[in-house]
Amino acid sequence: SQWSRDPIYRSAKGEGYRSRAAYKLLEINSKFEIFRPTDTVVDLGAAPGSWLQVVRSLTEGTIVGVDLNPIPPLEGVVTITGDFTNPLVQSEIRKIVDLVSVVICDASPKISGKKCYDQARTIDLNEQALAFAKSILKQGGNFVVKTFQGELFNDFLKEVREHFYSVRVYHAQATRKGSTETYIIAKNYIHKRDEASTD
C-alpha cells in the first residue's frame, strides 16, 4: 500500500507511534520549544493519538485529547469524544482543566477535492481552534495549529499575530512532498485583560 512504502510511516509504527504525525510535533517542539515539563495541554482533533503520545513524553501535566472519533486509551491522558467547537464539549474540557499552558490542533476537515472550498473549511476550523485557545490559555501560553496555504491564510495569520508575541510559520520536514500543509507556531499568549491592565 501507499502507507507501507512511506519510510516515515514505517518508522512511526516501528517506534510505537499511532501515526507519522508524531514526527511533525517532535520536530516542531525541537525547533520552537513549545512544551515545558509541567505544562497542561489540550489537543484538538487528537485521534488516533500520536500527538498525545508525544506530549505525554514531554510533560507531566494534565493532558486532554478531543476528537469526533474515539481515541484509543492512552495512559495518563484524558480523552473526550466530541466536536471541540461544541460549547457542551468545551464545558466538559473545562471540568478537567481550568486554564492551560498549551493548545495544539492537528485537525482538518474531510477533504472534498475542491481546493477553495476545502481551504475555507480548514480556515474556519482554525478560527474555531484559535477562539477556543483564547478562552482557555494562560497568559504566556502557546498555540500550534495545522493549516494550509491559500488565499485565506494571510488573514488568519494576521489574526493569530494579534494575540501572541511570537508567531512563526513552519513547514515540517515530515510533511508529505507537494503538500501545502503548514503549521502556525504561536508563543506567549497576550491575555487581553493583562494587556488592558498595563495601559
Side-chain angles (χ1 to χ4, degrees):
S1 74
Q2 127 186 31
W3 296 115
S4 63
R5 291 195 301 270
D6 181 341
I8 297 177
Y9 171 82
R10 290 202 308 269
S11 180
K13 289 300 178 185
E15 291 191 44
Y17 290 121
R18 294 175 179 178
S19 81
R20 72 200 305 281
Y23 292 115
K24 299 175 189 177
L25 189 59
L26 286 165
E27 188 182 327
I28 287 167
N29 190 63
S30 175
K31 191 169 182 66
F32 298 102
E33 299 181 334
I34 301 301
F35 304 99
R36 289 155 295 201
T38 58
D39 279 350
T40 300
V41 182
V42 175
D43 182 355
L44 306 174
S50 62
W51 275 27
L52 292 171
Q53 290 176 293
V54 171
V55 175
R56 180 72 290 169
S57 72
L58 296 171
T59 176
E60 297 175 1
T62 303
I63 301 169
V64 181
V66 188
D67 201 283
L68 288 169
N69 299 307
I71 303 165
L74 190 60
E75 187 176 352
V77 175
V78 181
T79 60
I80 297 171
T81 303
D83 182 348
F84 77 80
T85 68
N86 185 322
L88 292 176
V89 173
Q90 293 181 10
S91 176
E92 198 173 337
I93 295 169
R94 287 192 180 84
K95 288 176 185 173
I96 303 163
V97 286
D98 181 16
L99 290 175
V100 304
S101 309
V102 185
V103 173
I104 55 178
C105 180
D106 197 39
S108 57
K110 288 186 178 175
I111 302 302
S112 71
K114 296 177 182 175
K115 193 171 179 181
C116 289
Y117 175 71
D118 288 336
Q119 212 237 349
R121 291 176 66 228
T122 298
I123 294 294
D124 180 62
L125 196 61
N126 295 159
E127 295 267 11
Q128 300 268 15
L130 175 61
F132 174 75
K134 285 160 50 184
S135 76
I136 203 167
L137 275 178
K138 297 176 180 175
Q139 169 78 9
N142 300 330
F143 175 57
V144 176
V145 62
K146 177 172 73 179
T147 187
F148 292 87
Q149 297 277 5
E151 61 180 298
L152 302 172
F153 174 81
N154 286 334
D155 287 342
F156 177 64
L157 181 61
K158 181 180 176 184
E159 184 179 354
V160 177
R161 284 187 166 135
E162 291 174 0
H163 301 284
F164 294 84
Y165 281 110
S166 169
V167 178
R168 302 285 294 277
V169 176
Y170 185 67
H171 186 79
Q173 292 179 2
T175 300
R176 290 185 199 87
K177 287 192 171 92
S179 173
T180 61
E181 175 186 286
T182 192
Y183 289 88
I184 293 176
I185 318 296
K187 295 185 67 177
N188 207 345
Y189 176 58
I190 306 164
H191 203 293
K192 288 303 179 183
R193 278 185 303 229
D194 293 283
E195 190 180 58
S197 66
T198 61
D199 290 343

